[in-house]
Amino acid sequence: MSLSRLIVQNLRNLLSVDIEPSPDVNLIFGKNGSGKTSILEAIHVLSLGRSFRGHKFKALINEHHPAMTVFGRVDDSGGDIPIGVSRSRSGDATFKAHGQAVGSLAELAGLLPLQVINADAFLLLEGSPSVRRQFLDWLVFHVEPGFFSTWKAAQRCLKQRNTILRRDRIEGSELQVWERELVAVSERMASMRLRAFEAFSEVFHQLIDEFVMAEGLTLSLYRGWEKDKGYAEVLSETLERDSRLGFTGSGVHRCDIRIRIKGHAAADVLSRGQQKLLVCAMKITQGVVFAKLTDRRCIYLVDDLPAELDEEHRQLLVDWLHKLETQVFITGVEQDALLQPWHQKPDREIKLFHVEQGKIVE
């Protein structure tokens, strides 16, 4: 799959952009502040309705305009799919696919699966469990058809249980009703995550040594409660504590991928350079597993590649992106630094874009 056209209006300093990207490699260069990262943000808005820089959409809208619009065409096995997102400063939003309004951003995300490699990607190691949970759930969402509805049900049950706990009504039958449903959806959700994690872990360990030599590196999945107990038992044992605190302390909302080296958190052991390579390996693994399980390709957005990796490892990452046969968008300041890793890839169609003061030229 690939993005065959991108039209952007009034997103940051991109007032009017209309490009036809290569289905293979798109290299975007320009000075800092020119708008090259905003091109990647626009693609991300098409998929998730927001930027990868944060959830505050108003910051995306050009200060001199009341709204922004992003339109794209996705070439997939099912044909040409038009998708569009419009957001106004007043809060109004429109999301469309196939010329019709979509009821959920999850539908857009399913049409345009993305992986982002930028400076914030390294929070996979240093950040909170929620970062790694979202990373895993991206894969689960795309390979387990029932995951999104199960995730929503779990969120609803947790919210209701927490409300009952805060109101100190734990003796009533209402709590039991919500707990039964919470146990059912949580066990189902944990099974989906485990299947995706096992597929991820198998591929990850096959390629990690190509990126970074880290003896004793292990990945494990913490589902959110003790592995030797059922969730119903855990809720019963922790009811008094949860009631005192006013929220549910164990569950799928506490899931985490634990990345360790000889028993220590990888972020505490690896150098900054090694952390970057480990994260790249995880991002590439996502693409490999996604392709293996869905027979589709995700699109990679790589922001300021030369600044994040040295020449040797830039080449390694490019080699893997080449193997994935996926569409990529890569930004950087210097044209030559972007082109150099692709010199030995004559079979890929490469388009080079120059961005200056919000205007882009192929």
Side-chain angles (χ1 to χ4, degrees):
M1 75 175 308
S2 64
L3 187 65
S4 62
R5 190 172 183 188
L6 177 67
I7 299 175
V8 186
Q9 293 181 330
N10 307 326
L11 188 152
R12 298 199 190 273
N13 67 339
L14 303 178
L15 300 183
S16 181
V17 167
D18 186 349
I19 60 174
E20 295 182 359
S22 163
D24 294 332
V25 181
N26 298 277
L27 307 178
I28 306 165
F29 74 99
K31 296 179 181 179
N32 290 328
S34 62
K36 57 187 185 296
T37 298
S38 298
I39 297 292
L40 304 189
E41 286 185 285
I43 299 171
H44 200 271
V45 166
L46 269 184
S47 177
L48 293 172
R50 59 175 175 79
S51 166
F52 50 77
R53 287 178 167 178
H55 291 262
K56 296 181 179 180
F57 67 89
K58 290 183 181 180
L60 286 172
I61 303 172
N62 182 273
E63 59 183 344
H64 301 297
H65 293 82
M68 68 166 187
T69 301
V70 184
F71 173 83
R73 289 193 174 275
V74 177
D75 285 342
D76 205 347
S77 56
D80 177 74
I81 305 170
I83 57 177
V85 172
S86 178
R87 306 206 70 154
S88 72
R89 204 176 297 280
S90 64
D92 294 333
T94 302
F95 310 109
K96 289 187 174 182
H98 303 283
Q100 298 180 339
V102 300
S104 168
L105 283 173
E107 186 175 340
L108 291 183
L111 293 173
L112 190 63
L114 302 176
Q115 280 293 313
V116 180
I117 299 177
N118 64 351
D120 290 340
F122 305 114
L123 291 174
L124 269 174
L125 301 182
E126 301 175 335
S128 68
S130 65
V131 179
R132 291 178 291 278
R133 190 161 55 248
Q134 291 170 11
F135 174 81
L136 175 62
D137 283 350
W138 179 92
L139 183 59
V140 188
F141 169 78
H142 285 289
V143 303
E144 294 278 358
F147 175 74
F148 184 62
S149 59
T150 304
W151 178 86
K152 287 196 299 182
Q155 297 302 307
R156 183 181 68 252
C157 292
L158 280 168
K159 181 179 179 180
Q160 292 294 335
R161 186 177 191 266
N162 290 343
T163 298
I164 294 170
L165 292 173
R166 286 193 295 271
R167 292 176 180 173
D168 196 24
R169 294 164 57 188
I170 63 175
E171 300 299 331
S173 60
E174 186 181 7
L175 178 65
Q176 298 175 357
V177 171
W178 284 109
E179 281 192 347
R180 279 198 297 270
E181 185 176 354
L182 177 59
V183 168
V185 296
S186 295
E187 296 279 6
R188 189 158 63 246
M189 191 169 161
S191 296
M192 292 179 181
R193 280 174 168 167
L194 179 60
R195 287 194 294 270
F197 174 77
E198 288 176 341
F200 176 90
S201 184
E202 180 182 358
V203 173
F204 175 79
H205 286 295
Q206 291 173 358
L207 63 82
I208 181 59
D209 288 344
E210 293 190 36
F211 283 86
V212 56
M213 294 302 295
E215 185 179 352
L217 176 66
T218 60
L219 298 182
S220 62
L221 180 66
Y222 173 62
R223 61 180 177 175
W225 66 91
E226 295 90 332
K227 62 182 179 180
D228 58 342
K229 293 182 179 180
Y231 190 40
E233 180 183 0
V234 170
L235 288 180
S236 177
E237 291 178 350
T238 59
L239 178 57
E240 183 178 344
R241 180 202 66 185
D242 291 350
S243 179
R244 185 173 64 254
L245 296 176
F247 62 87
T248 305
S250 299
V252 289
H253 57 300
R254 301 295 188 191
C255 176
D256 191 12
I257 297 177
R258 291 173 174 171
I259 309 167
R260 300 186 180 278
I261 296 178
K262 297 181 178 179
H264 301 282
D268 296 335
V269 176
L270 299 179
S271 68
R272 183 63 175 169
Q274 289 175 314
Q275 290 183 41
K276 292 179 180 181
L277 296 172
L278 176 54
V279 168
C280 286
M282 294 179 71
K283 291 286 187 172
I284 291 296
T285 299
Q286 285 278 56
V288 173
V289 177
F290 175 77
K292 180 180 178 181
L293 296 181
T294 67
D295 200 27
R296 300 172 69 205
R297 301 290 186 272
C298 62
I299 296 172
Y300 277 83
L301 309 180
V302 185
D303 193 26
D304 205 4
L305 174 63
E308 295 298 340
L309 297 172
D310 59 29
E311 183 177 345
E312 177 186 354
H313 291 104
R314 285 201 301 270
Q315 186 66 61
L316 176 62
L317 180 58
V318 163
D319 288 346
W320 266 103
L321 291 173
H322 176 65
K323 290 178 184 178
L324 284 173
E325 298 182 343
T326 186
Q327 187 181 37
V328 298
F329 294 81
I330 305 176
T331 69
V333 175
E334 298 293 336
Q335 172 181 338
D336 291 343
L338 288 178
L339 280 170
Q340 191 278 329
W342 296 97
H343 282 164
Q344 304 303 317
K345 309 290 187 294
D347 56 327
R348 302 304 298 274
E349 178 188 319
I350 299 174
K351 284 192 176 183
L352 186 67
F353 297 93
H354 179 229
V355 184
E356 186 174 3
Q357 296 181 346
K359 296 182 179 180
I360 185 167
V361 178
E362 182 182 337

